[in-house]
Amino acid sequence: MSLHRPAGSLREGPYPIVLTPHAAGWTYTGLWVLDLPAGEARTLRTGECEAFVLPLSGSGTVEVDGERFRLRGRTSVFAGVSDFLYLPREAEAVVATETGLLAAVPSARCERRLTPRYGPAEGVPVEVRGAGRATRQVTNFGAPGVWEHADRLMACEVLTPDGNWSSYPPHKHDEASAHESVNEEIYYFRIAERDGITPGPSGFGLHRTYTADGAIDETVTVRDGDVFLIPRGYHGPCVAAPGHPMYYLNVLAGPGPERSMAFCDDPAHAWVRERWAEEPADPRCPLTDHRGRR
């Protein structure tokens, strides 16, 4: 079964993406995308998974466990950093919107039931990572050390300026060691049109995932709305075509006793990271923050 799931292949009714851990062929990590027209509401049931409700575009409200939270959202993933909401397992949440809402709902099967919690956009740290043509923005809204109110779920957003490479050097997290944790990972892509803000079908990028033994070796063209599954192996680079900035949501979870994104670079390319200290970062980064486009 291919690890690349093109846009539309995971659609179920009004949900552009429904990807459960079972459908992915693994244990923990999942992703839904909710497309809610203006004036409508929908009920989400988390079951044995915890989740985030992360606006991709638009705004709305979420009622869960007797509380009501308002999500200000954003106009596009390329236009600003969004606020978000954590949903516990075994929750029934009613998501509603007056003007329309497209939201990602990354999830992870977990054991502990926590409480709902709101994450404000102004509290989300924005990191510039890499240098030169490997410069990108990492928005660490659900990463360990930043967001600790989760049992297993981890998530972050990556914005790659057009023409740049990200997820580079290639890295993996499929062995438990002092320097690496085991995680299943989902990449969910959005590709901007020529205005650099509006996602659309004309742009594209590239993504590669491979293992040292050659059992996995996929280099694919990714377009707006595509998903790529990473059960193991090195992943990277993600390459944004000139003229088309790239966004992807990383969703991770694994069996470790603590949430960790620890990884190991491919030794053949690890030297690239060492060279960043002598190379300036791309001045286009960060592309945005909670205040909007720079």
Side-chain angles (χ1 to χ4, degrees):
M1 182 180 296
S2 175
L3 302 176
H4 180 210
R5 308 296 174 88
S9 63
L10 294 172
R11 175 175 287 277
E12 287 191 15
Y15 297 93
I17 292 174
V18 175
L19 179 66
T20 64
H22 176 75
W26 53 35
T27 305
Y28 298 101
T29 313
L31 173 67
W32 286 28
V33 173
L34 171 66
D35 191 0
L36 199 58
E40 292 198 9
R42 194 159 295 138
T43 300
L44 298 178
R45 296 175 177 86
T46 58
E48 58 186 351
C49 296
E50 60 187 346
F52 293 122
V53 179
L54 174 71
L56 302 171
S57 62
S59 60
T61 61
V62 183
E63 293 187 21
V64 58
D65 284 9
E67 296 185 84
R68 188 173 187 266
F69 301 89
R70 176 168 293 278
L71 296 176
R72 296 195 307 270
R74 51 189 165 185
T75 58
S76 162
V77 294
F78 297 100
V81 171
S82 181
D83 53 355
F84 62 98
L85 181 68
Y86 171 85
L87 297 178
R89 63 170 287 160
E90 299 166 359
E92 184 172 284
V94 178
V95 184
T97 178
E98 296 180 356
T99 57
L101 173 66
L102 181 70
V105 186
S107 65
R109 184 177 282 129
C110 66
E111 289 75 41
R112 293 188 298 145
R113 190 184 198 276
L114 306 180
T115 57
R117 182 169 295 183
Y118 173 76
E122 55 269 26
V124 176
V126 170
E127 173 190 0
V128 175
R129 190 175 297 175
R133 285 298 181 181
T135 308
R136 59 276 199 178
Q137 171 180 331
V138 182
T139 304
N140 288 303
F141 76 95
V146 173
W147 183 265
E148 297 295 358
H149 191 73
D151 188 25
R152 292 194 181 276
L153 178 60
M154 299 171 280
C156 66
E157 301 176 292
V158 180
L159 289 168
T160 308
D162 65 291
N164 280 16
W165 293 37
S166 57
S167 287
Y168 195 78
H171 59 281
K172 70 180 182 73
H173 34 71
D174 57 15
E175 294 182 88
S177 72
H179 307 289
E180 183 179 353
S181 60
V182 177
N183 283 311
E184 306 158 351
E185 184 168 7
I186 299 169
Y187 276 47
Y188 167 60
F189 292 91
R190 305 306 308 268
I191 308 295
E193 296 284 3
R194 63 187 299 174
D195 65 1
I197 295 176
T198 308
S202 66
F204 68 95
L206 303 175
H207 171 83
R208 187 175 186 220
T209 290
Y210 61 96
T211 55
D213 62 7
I216 298 174
D217 192 348
E218 293 199 32
T219 302
V220 300
T221 300
V222 290
R223 298 187 181 276
D224 186 58
D226 285 10
V227 167
F228 199 94
L229 308 179
I230 302 169
R232 62 188 181 93
Y234 296 106
H235 34 288
C238 292
V239 185
H244 295 284
M246 172 187 284
Y247 163 99
Y248 49 91
L249 172 65
N250 287 154
V251 187
L252 305 94
E258 296 184 0
R259 296 162 65 241
S260 173
M261 289 185 174
F263 61 86
C264 175
D265 286 335
D266 183 340
H269 306 286
W271 61 272
V272 173
R273 191 182 298 275
E274 300 171 3
R275 200 175 66 179
W276 290 345
E278 304 169 0
E279 189 174 4
D282 188 325
R284 294 177 292 177
C285 286
L287 295 173
T288 186
D289 59 20
H290 70 278
R291 295 164 294 187
R293 295 280 291 188
R294 293 181 63 218

